[in-house]
Amino acid sequence: VQLQASGGGLVQPGGSLRLSCAASGSVFEIYEMGWYRQAPGNQRELVASITRGGSPTNFADSVKGRFTISRDNAKNTVYLQMNNLKPEDTAVYYCKADIRRWGGQPTYAYWGQGTQVTVSS
């Protein structure tokens, strides 16, 4: 199983980016999916998560009202729409998914490789 994140880049303050993260491989079912971020010198923090049924949960206070999380179960993909970006949003963004593989395997947490988001003028 692999998670491939994409969509990061350089954007000016007030701009928008949309991150995507697709799971591939021997995926039987995906439960909760989420986005985390880690800025230099800081611990990794939860940005937002979403249930299998599509209910967003656990938004960080700093992104409420600006970021939206969604998912497409048919594509095994989770999205993070980031609007009104601020310099303090600069970080490496990681996706995470709780995945059960085919063959009666237990559910494990998988992480994507990270995508850099830089907000700067």
Side-chain angles (χ1 to χ4, degrees):
V1 171
Q2 288 187 332
L3 292 180
Q4 182 68 44
S6 61
L10 173 64
V11 63
Q12 292 186 343
S16 298
L17 283 174
R18 188 192 194 205
L19 305 183
S20 300
C21 176
S24 61
S26 183
V27 176
F28 175 69
E29 193 160 9
I30 304 177
Y31 300 99
E32 186 171 276
M33 305 182 82
W35 288 95
Y36 291 71
R37 66 185 182 185
Q38 187 168 17
N42 291 354
Q43 291 186 333
R44 190 173 297 187
E45 64 172 355
L46 173 67
V47 176
S49 61
I50 187 167
T51 66
R52 173 165 175 75
S55 298
T57 61
N58 298 325
F59 279 98
D61 288 342
S62 59
V63 306
K64 286 180 180 177
R66 300 187 297 121
F67 290 11
T68 303
I69 188 170
S70 61
R71 64 189 285 171
D72 185 335
N73 289 336
K75 296 181 179 179
N76 290 339
T77 300
V78 62
Y79 305 96
L80 186 69
Q81 178 67 43
M82 305 184 293
N83 298 327
N84 191 22
L85 282 160
K86 303 176 180 181
E88 51 263 42
D89 294 318
T90 296
V92 178
Y93 283 69
Y94 298 89
C95 58
K96 174 182 170 284
D98 297 331
I99 298 174
R100 177 185 291 183
R101 296 168 57 190
W102 285 98
Q105 299 292 324
T107 300
Y108 291 109
Y110 291 85
W111 290 86
Q113 84 284 11
T115 184
Q116 177 70 46
V117 172
T118 302
V119 185
S120 175
S121 56

